[in-house]
Amino acid sequence: MGIARTHDEDYETTEFKTLVALAAMERRKDNGEFKGLTSHSSIVDLQDKLVCVTSGASFFGFALVNRLLLHGYFVRVLVANQDVEKLREMEISGEMMGCKSKISVVMAKSNEIQGLMEAFDGCCGVFHTSSFADPAGLSGYSKSMAEMEGKASENVMKACARTPSVKHCVLTSSLLACIWRDNTQYEFPPLVNHNCWSNESLCVDKKLWYALGKLKAEKVAWKIAEEMSLNLTTICPGLITGHEFSYRNPTATIAYLKGAQEMYANGLLATVDVRRLAEAHVSVFEAMKTTTAFGRYICFDRIIQCEDEAEKLADEIGIPRNKISGNSSDYVFPNCFELSNKKLANLMSRTLRSCYGES
């Protein structure tokens, strides 16, 4: 497995903690906009525990913010204009409450490096979750969005490198940036590990725009990190799942499954629970402080290997079963992920034991 298994948490408790964690927003009385209740000056002495999360109003962003707060971090949530209404709806519905001293909200555009630098100022680390939603509100991911994601990643990395307080950056990439390769040269299904990269031309030919976006975002991030000496680590998760994931994260879910039949047939359709992925990010970030974490990490906790599993996943998403399994027979596919890749599992083991009380 890509990460260590843990005892399942009660989802409602976790979700409640998430909503409580995201409570430090209120409208300015004069114009109704959101502002963080925690000022930059009030946490100047806590810079080693202050981090920024981009796309903090996304499905994965919520989970990551919650996990960071549970680990004692102060979190600055970066949101774009289209996220403000979502935060306002949460406020009106009464879902936000408490935790005023540990979270703040800032707005910045991904195409403005100076604005990103101002948002990151004072933070010791940045989590670029790279959670893009279709601005038209459709459950699709276009080629233009792939270009936007690559450019946004470039700007975020440059802003991190130019902000003196930022010491570490964690980028959320995707397993899709690893698995779409030309397999005609292999006699057997190839193993996939953290050294594997998808082929950009293949992604274009197959119109795998989500895979292309993640590939472009991660490659440009590593380019900027090398050129500007930024301490970067990337995590490549499988399809992110969790409670109502297809409803709460439709763009990424549908876009990820473009080419699902081929992934399933080759034993490469993997998923990861959003809470475990969030824990993996925190574990990697903390290990970066002692230089024990570096490079890329593949993160998954389940591989869809048979018809029953494919049917269950299809039902959860609300799509026909054959969209995933096609006409495949009911048999278990070989695990194409390198079993010796224990970097992330070993890195997380101590944190998981302390968090979940495992012996």
Side-chain angles (χ1 to χ4, degrees), residues 244-247 253 257 302 307-324:
E244 296 183 337
F245 69 93
S246 62
Y247 169 76
T253 299
L257 291 173
R302 182 176 61 148
E307 285 283 327
D308 288 344
E309 293 175 342
E311 181 177 1
K312 180 179 180 182
L313 179 61
D315 289 343
E316 289 175 342
I317 301 171
I319 62 176
R321 183 179 64 180
N322 62 6
K323 291 292 185 181
I324 294 178

Side-chain angles (χ1 to χ4, degrees), residues 106-118:
V106 294
M107 291 181 60
K109 297 180 179 179
S110 62
N111 61 346
E112 298 177 358
I113 296 178
Q114 184 60 41
L116 290 170
M117 291 174 61
E118 292 174 1

Side-chain angles (χ1 to χ4, degrees), residues 29-294:
K29 294 181 179 179
D30 53 346
N31 59 14
E33 294 180 356
F34 281 90
K35 65 177 181 178
L37 298 183
T38 305
S39 67
H40 291 195
S41 59
S42 66
I43 48 182
V44 68
D45 296 328
L46 297 171
Q47 287 187 359
D48 62 330
K49 298 294 286 186
L50 174 62
V51 296
C52 184
V53 176
T54 68
S55 301
S58 67
F59 176 57
F60 174 60
F62 279 152
L64 180 56
V65 169
N66 177 54
R67 192 60 58 187
L68 286 164
L69 289 167
L70 291 176
H71 279 267
Y73 285 93
F74 288 72
V75 183
R76 188 176 295 166
V77 179
L78 180 63
V79 297
N81 289 335
Q82 61 264 29
D83 296 320
V84 173
E85 187 60 34
K86 184 187 298 184
L87 296 175
R88 182 175 288 113
E89 289 174 359
M90 291 177 64
E91 182 195 35
I92 294 173
S93 67
E95 294 180 356
M96 297 181 181
M97 61 198 80
C99 206
K100 294 181 178 181
S101 64
K102 299 193 71 174
I103 188 169
S104 58
V105 176
V106 294
M107 291 181 60
K109 297 180 179 179
S110 62
N111 61 346
E112 298 177 358
I113 296 178
Q114 184 60 41
L116 290 170
M117 291 174 61
E118 292 174 1
F120 299 159
D121 184 39
C123 296
C124 67
V126 172
F127 293 85
H128 182 40
T129 67
S130 193
S131 300
F132 272 63
D134 188 340
L138 305 174
S139 57
Y141 189 101
S142 64
K143 185 177 181 180
S144 62
M145 289 178 68
E147 298 296 332
M148 290 169 52
E149 184 151 357
K151 187 59 179 179
S153 177
E154 179 181 354
N155 291 339
V156 169
M157 295 305 124
K158 287 181 177 179
C160 286
R162 296 175 185 176
T163 305
S165 64
V166 176
K167 307 302 180 185
H168 314 288
C169 179
V170 179
L171 168 72
T172 309
S173 181
S174 173
L175 184 58
L176 298 183
C178 308
I179 65 174
W180 286 107
R181 301 176 293 163
D182 183 4
N183 296 333
T184 58
Q185 58 185 306
Y186 302 104
E187 183 178 357
F188 300 103
L191 294 178
V192 176
N193 61 23
H194 55 277
N195 294 316
C196 297
W197 288 92
S198 291
N199 182 286
E200 185 169 329
S201 296
L202 183 66
C203 292
V204 173
D205 291 343
K206 291 179 175 288
K207 295 182 170 53
L208 302 169
W209 307 132
Y210 189 72
L212 181 65
K214 296 304 180 183
L215 180 62
K216 283 179 171 290
E218 188 179 0
K219 283 201 166 184
V220 74
W222 280 117
K223 181 176 182 292
I224 299 299
E226 182 177 353
E227 293 175 349
M228 304 183 71
S229 300
L230 174 65
N231 188 6
L232 173 69
T233 298
T234 63
I235 297 179
C236 303
L239 174 66
I240 303 175
T241 61
H243 184 66
E244 296 183 337
F245 69 93
S246 62
Y247 169 76
R248 301 169 64 194
N249 196 31
T251 297
T253 299
I254 298 301
Y256 189 103
L257 291 173
K258 180 71 178 295
Q261 292 183 6
E262 189 172 341
M263 286 189 282
Y264 173 73
N266 290 323
L268 294 172
L269 182 55
T271 67
V272 60
D273 183 86
V274 66
R275 294 162 293 177
R276 291 188 176 126
L277 178 59
E279 185 64 42
H281 278 65
V282 178
S283 297
V284 166
F285 180 75
E286 293 185 337
M288 290 176 72
K289 299 176 184 178
T290 58
T291 68
T292 55
F294 55 89

